[in-house]
Tab-separated table of all heavy atoms in Angstrom:
chain	number	residue	atom	x	y	z
A	642	MET	N	-36.508	31.842	17.920
A	642	MET	CA	-36.459	30.370	17.865
A	642	MET	C	-37.875	29.801	17.890
A	642	MET	O	-38.697	30.184	18.723
A	642	MET	CB	-35.651	29.828	19.041
A	642	MET	CG	-35.474	28.321	19.049
A	642	MET	SD	-34.432	27.785	20.411
A	642	MET	CE	-34.506	26.008	20.187
A	643	ALA	N	-38.163	28.902	16.971
A	643	ALA	CA	-39.503	28.319	16.871
A	643	ALA	C	-39.817	27.447	18.080
A	643	ALA	O	-38.960	26.737	18.605
A	643	ALA	CB	-39.608	27.498	15.595
A	644	VAL	N	-41.068	27.519	18.509
A	644	VAL	CA	-41.564	26.707	19.615
A	644	VAL	C	-42.499	25.650	19.052
A	644	VAL	O	-43.292	25.922	18.147
A	644	VAL	CB	-42.318	27.586	20.641
A	644	VAL	CG1	-42.944	26.730	21.732
A	644	VAL	CG2	-41.385	28.608	21.247
A	645	THR	N	-42.422	24.446	19.574
A	645	THR	CA	-43.287	23.369	19.111
A	645	THR	C	-44.426	23.119	20.096
A	645	THR	O	-44.371	23.534	21.260
A	645	THR	CB	-42.500	22.063	18.927
A	645	THR	OG1	-42.028	21.621	20.214
A	645	THR	CG2	-41.316	22.266	17.984
A	646	ALA	N	-45.439	22.415	19.622
A	646	ALA	CA	-46.568	22.052	20.475
A	646	ALA	C	-46.101	21.185	21.643
A	646	ALA	O	-46.613	21.303	22.764
A	646	ALA	CB	-47.621	21.315	19.657
A	647	GLY	N	-45.105	20.339	21.398
A	647	GLY	CA	-44.583	19.483	22.456
A	647	GLY	C	-43.979	20.278	23.601
A	647	GLY	O	-44.149	19.933	24.784
A	648	GLU	N	-43.299	21.376	23.266
A	648	GLU	CA	-42.707	22.223	24.309
A	648	GLU	C	-43.785	22.928	25.117
A	648	GLU	O	-43.662	23.071	26.348
A	648	GLU	CB	-41.766	23.239	23.664
A	648	GLU	CG	-40.506	22.622	23.073
A	648	GLU	CD	-39.671	23.618	22.297
A	648	GLU	OE1	-40.180	24.176	21.301
A	648	GLU	OE2	-38.514	23.841	22.695
A	649	VAL	N	-44.830	23.374	24.457
A	649	VAL	CA	-45.938	24.019	25.160
A	649	VAL	C	-46.606	23.024	26.110
A	649	VAL	O	-46.909	23.348	27.268
A	649	VAL	CB	-46.979	24.578	24.169
A	649	VAL	CG1	-48.210	25.104	24.905
A	649	VAL	CG2	-46.367	25.680	23.324
A	650	MET	N	-46.823	21.813	25.650
A	650	MET	CA	-47.478	20.796	26.483
A	650	MET	C	-46.621	20.405	27.672
A	650	MET	O	-47.138	20.113	28.758
A	650	MET	CB	-47.848	19.581	25.633
A	650	MET	CG	-48.964	19.874	24.644
A	650	MET	SD	-49.591	18.418	23.775
A	650	MET	CE	-48.230	18.063	22.652
A	651	LEU	N	-45.311	20.409	27.504
A	651	LEU	CA	-44.418	20.130	28.628
A	651	LEU	C	-44.555	21.221	29.687
A	651	LEU	O	-44.603	20.938	30.890
A	651	LEU	CB	-42.970	20.039	28.137
A	651	LEU	CG	-41.904	19.752	29.210
A	651	LEU	CD1	-42.166	18.413	29.901
A	651	LEU	CD2	-40.508	19.757	28.586
A	652	ASP	N	-44.640	22.473	29.242
A	652	ASP	CA	-44.865	23.581	30.170
A	652	ASP	C	-46.191	23.400	30.904
A	652	ASP	O	-46.284	23.633	32.119
A	652	ASP	CB	-44.894	24.913	29.422
A	652	ASP	CG	-43.546	25.294	28.830
A	652	ASP	OD1	-42.520	24.750	29.270
A	652	ASP	OD2	-43.529	26.148	27.919
A	653	SER	N	-47.216	23.006	30.166
A	653	SER	CA	-48.545	22.832	30.762
A	653	SER	C	-48.536	21.728	31.815
A	653	SER	O	-49.151	21.863	32.881
A	653	SER	CB	-49.571	22.500	29.675
A	653	SER	OG	-49.658	23.542	28.731
A	654	ALA	N	-47.850	20.646	31.514
A	654	ALA	CA	-47.753	19.550	32.492
A	654	ALA	C	-47.082	20.031	33.772
A	654	ALA	O	-47.474	19.649	34.879
A	654	ALA	CB	-46.976	18.382	31.883
A	655	GLY	N	-46.064	20.876	33.627
A	655	GLY	CA	-45.405	21.440	34.806
A	655	GLY	C	-46.360	22.280	35.638
A	655	GLY	O	-46.348	22.216	36.876
A	656	LEU	N	-47.199	23.059	34.983
A	656	LEU	CA	-48.190	23.870	35.693
A	656	LEU	C	-49.210	22.991	36.412
A	656	LEU	O	-49.824	23.418	37.397
A	656	LEU	CB	-48.910	24.791	34.707
A	656	LEU	CG	-48.066	25.899	34.078
A	656	LEU	CD1	-48.831	26.572	32.934
A	656	LEU	CD2	-47.661	26.939	35.123
A	657	LEU	N	-49.392	21.784	35.912
A	657	LEU	CA	-50.322	20.824	36.521
A	657	LEU	C	-49.614	19.908	37.520
A	657	LEU	O	-50.143	18.862	37.902
A	657	LEU	CB	-50.985	19.996	35.422
A	657	LEU	CG	-51.894	20.782	34.464
A	657	LEU	CD1	-52.242	19.960	33.235
A	657	LEU	CD2	-53.143	21.254	35.178
A	658	ASN	N	-48.424	20.323	37.935
A	658	ASN	CA	-47.623	19.583	38.920
A	658	ASN	C	-47.266	18.180	38.438
A	658	ASN	O	-47.218	17.220	39.210
A	658	ASN	CB	-48.360	19.503	40.272
A	658	ASN	CG	-47.433	19.176	41.437
A	658	ASN	OD1	-46.249	19.522	41.399
A	658	ASN	ND2	-47.946	18.494	42.453
A	659	ASP	N	-47.014	18.063	37.138
A	659	ASP	CA	-46.623	16.783	36.545
A	659	ASP	C	-45.503	17.026	35.527
A	659	ASP	O	-45.663	16.742	34.333
A	659	ASP	CB	-47.835	16.128	35.876
A	659	ASP	CG	-47.537	14.733	35.349
A	659	ASP	OD1	-46.542	14.117	35.805
A	659	ASP	OD2	-48.281	14.265	34.457
A	660	PRO	N	-44.360	17.578	35.987
A	660	PRO	CA	-43.291	17.945	35.046
A	660	PRO	C	-42.711	16.772	34.264
A	660	PRO	O	-42.181	16.964	33.166
A	660	PRO	CB	-42.238	18.590	35.953
A	660	PRO	CG	-42.508	18.038	37.316
A	660	PRO	CD	-43.994	17.863	37.384
A	661	SER	N	-42.818	15.563	34.808
A	661	SER	CA	-42.303	14.390	34.092
A	661	SER	C	-43.341	13.807	33.149
A	661	SER	O	-43.080	12.821	32.461
A	661	SER	CB	-41.847	13.320	35.095
A	661	SER	OG	-42.937	12.893	35.890
A	662	GLN	N	-44.510	14.401	33.126
A	662	GLN	CA	-45.622	13.987	32.264
A	662	GLN	C	-46.008	12.521	32.482
A	662	GLN	O	-46.231	11.762	31.553
A	662	GLN	CB	-45.301	14.238	30.792
A	662	GLN	CG	-45.224	15.724	30.431
A	662	GLN	CD	-45.142	15.965	28.933
A	662	GLN	OE1	-44.071	15.894	28.360
A	662	GLN	NE2	-46.283	16.259	28.316
A	663	THR	N	-46.114	12.161	33.755
A	663	THR	CA	-46.554	10.808	34.103
A	663	THR	C	-48.030	10.604	33.798
A	663	THR	O	-48.435	9.596	33.207
A	663	THR	CB	-46.295	10.540	35.601
A	663	THR	OG1	-44.910	10.724	35.885
A	663	THR	CG2	-46.703	9.115	35.972
A	664	SER	N	-48.835	11.597	34.183
A	664	SER	CA	-50.274	11.522	33.939
A	664	SER	C	-50.678	12.353	32.724
A	664	SER	O	-51.445	11.904	31.869
A	664	SER	CB	-51.050	12.014	35.168
A	664	SER	OG	-50.765	11.212	36.299
A	665	TYR	N	-50.134	13.575	32.660
A	665	TYR	CA	-50.474	14.466	31.561
A	665	TYR	C	-49.462	14.315	30.427
A	665	TYR	O	-48.609	15.167	30.193
A	665	TYR	CB	-50.539	15.914	32.065
A	665	TYR	CG	-51.688	16.161	33.011
A	665	TYR	CD1	-51.475	16.219	34.390
A	665	TYR	CD2	-52.989	16.307	32.536
A	665	TYR	CE1	-52.529	16.430	35.265
A	665	TYR	CE2	-54.052	16.511	33.405
A	665	TYR	CZ	-53.823	16.576	34.767
A	665	TYR	OH	-54.871	16.781	35.633
A	666	THR	N	-49.574	13.181	29.767
A	666	THR	CA	-48.680	12.877	28.657
A	666	THR	C	-49.027	13.724	27.430
A	666	THR	O	-50.077	14.377	27.386
A	666	THR	CB	-48.781	11.396	28.280
A	666	THR	OG1	-50.121	11.135	27.825
A	666	THR	CG2	-48.486	10.494	29.483
């Protein structure tokens, strides 16, 4: 299944303790 850049960035925001992407949009 193809992965998009948006999915990767969502993972990254979670690693930065911002899973809702409030700051790391």
Side-chain angles (χ1 to χ4, degrees):
M642 183 177 177
V644 175
T645 65
E648 291 173 299
V649 173
M650 291 188 287
L651 180 60
D652 293 341
S653 299
L656 292 170
L657 295 167
N658 199 29
D659 185 20
S661 61
Q662 292 190 277
T663 303
S664 299
Y665 292 101
T666 63

